[in-house]
Amino acid sequence: MIAYPAMLDVPRELVRYVGRLLYDERCRRRTPKGSRRLTCFHQALFALAWFRTKPNIRLHGIAFGLSQATAYRYLHEAINVLANQAPDLHNALDRAVRDSVSHLVLDGKIFDTDRCRLKTTSVKGQTIDAWYSGKTSDFGGNIQALCEPDGFPIWTSEVEPGGVVDIEAARRHVLPAVYPYTKAMPVLADPGYQGAGHGVHVPFKQPADGNVLSVGNRTHNALQRALRSLGERGFALLTERWTALQHTTLSPSRLGDLVRAALVLVHFEYRRIS
């Protein structure tokens, strides 16, 4: 084997922040001093390098002197401590109100995963792959997110199998908590959220009988689309910076924690937390 130097383009302050979280977790578990292969700082460095570049976990572990099993364990520990720092939905909404946010953007994304054998029954009574998404024609997990008007993500949901459509995922994880806030802070969403309810603004549907929308409705759609499109930035901030989210080989059930961990990293780099 040939060793070579590499650079990780994350600030040292971020490594220290994750290291402090890991240190607190070791103290909570009463981990004996000197019993770990890596210090908290180097475990944080190991995890951030994986989030940033998603190297092969076995080879990445070897670079840090870890077995494959230990590498996975250290990675999951880092994901857990980061995900635990993510704001819950009510806290995120309360902060948005305090910051006088004019509106929020609700969006969903299918995060690419390896194939999962879990089956479910479709609305037609057929047995199908639960994690297969017709939206992307691939396997993945559905994550919902709320973003500020400029597209900055403030909250992400638990994962649902890719076969669950956006409106159903939103009803399970977002809408019940959002409704009380929509009078002062309306929510914009794409056509996939038709029927979301009061305070959630979606485009008018094109008539199915061959007619066309009125000028007023077309203008509403254009304005709504212009404002809503900025919400696309939210998932881009997560997946382009932390490329491990672009395709995960971890258990799909971990996607919710993985995305929340990346959300905390984004919030730290944008000085939303310290």
Side-chain angles (χ1 to χ4, degrees):
M1 285 189 161
I2 301 174
Y4 65 94
M7 299 289 289
L8 181 62
D9 57 341
V10 300
R12 181 173 288 269
E13 291 76 16
L14 181 57
V15 184
R16 288 173 176 161
Y17 170 73
V18 179
R20 288 198 304 271
L21 296 178
L22 290 167
Y23 175 78
D24 291 341
E25 178 64 13
R26 291 188 187 186
C27 289
R28 186 188 69 81
R29 295 184 181 186
R30 298 182 179 179
T31 302
K33 186 175 181 180
S35 63
R36 292 295 194 98
R37 176 69 178 177
L38 298 181
T39 64
C40 295
F41 180 90
H42 285 93
Q43 184 180 352
L45 184 64
F46 165 82
L48 289 172
W50 182 87
F51 267 99
R52 184 71 184 94
T53 61
K54 197 179 179 294
N56 178 283
I57 191 67
R58 183 181 67 83
L59 297 178
H60 189 47
I62 290 174
F64 282 81
L66 306 175
S67 68
Q68 181 171 318
T70 303
Y72 273 113
R73 180 162 58 88
Y74 279 18
L75 175 61
H76 283 290
E77 284 179 1
I79 292 172
N80 289 340
V81 298
L82 282 167
N84 289 339
Q85 301 304 307
D88 66 26
L89 182 52
H90 289 285
N91 288 340
L93 291 168
D94 287 339
R95 177 169 180 172
V97 170
R98 290 196 304 271
D99 293 344
S100 300
V101 172
S102 61
H103 65 273
L104 296 174
V105 178
L106 171 63
D107 199 9
K109 178 178 173 61
I110 303 297
F111 283 82
D112 194 38
T113 70
D114 283 353
R115 180 167 183 166
C116 185
R117 294 182 178 180
L118 183 65
K119 303 293 183 180
T120 189
T121 302
S122 72
V123 293
K124 297 180 180 179
Q126 299 173 333
T127 300
I128 59 174
D129 291 302
W131 291 84
Y132 183 82
S133 169
K135 181 178 179 180
T136 62
S137 299
D138 203 351
F139 290 85
N142 187 325
I143 297 288
Q144 300 293 299
L146 285 173
C147 301
E148 293 178 349
D150 64 355
F152 189 84
I154 63 171
W155 172 84
T156 59
S157 73
E158 291 287 351
V159 65
E160 290 288 342
V164 176
V165 296
D166 283 338
I167 182 61
E168 184 61 31
R171 284 171 175 158
R172 294 178 186 176
H173 299 290
V174 189
L175 297 179
V178 163
Y179 287 139
Y181 295 84
T182 55
K183 185 175 181 179
M185 192 170 55
V187 175
L188 305 184
D190 64 34
Y193 295 89
Q194 290 284 347
H198 178 74
V200 181
H201 299 270
V202 298
F204 289 105
K205 295 180 67 174
Q206 293 291 339
D209 56 6
N211 292 325
V212 296
L213 290 174
S214 67
V215 173
N217 287 348
R218 293 201 302 271
T219 301
H220 170 275
N221 284 359
L223 293 172
Q224 199 261 11
R225 183 169 55 249
L227 293 172
R228 191 189 75 240
S229 63
L230 296 176
E232 299 291 338
R233 174 175 177 250
F235 284 121
L237 284 174
L238 294 169
T239 59
E240 296 303 316
R241 175 61 172 161
W242 307 107
T243 58
L245 273 61
Q246 294 177 6
H247 177 86
T248 180
T249 55
L250 302 180
S251 169
S253 62
R254 294 244 59 196
L255 262 173
D257 288 335
L258 188 61
V259 176
R260 281 196 298 276
L263 179 70
V264 172
L265 297 177
V266 168
H267 279 201
F268 184 90
E269 291 199 321
Y270 280 78
R271 302 186 184 280
R272 295 295 184 99
I273 55 177
S274 58

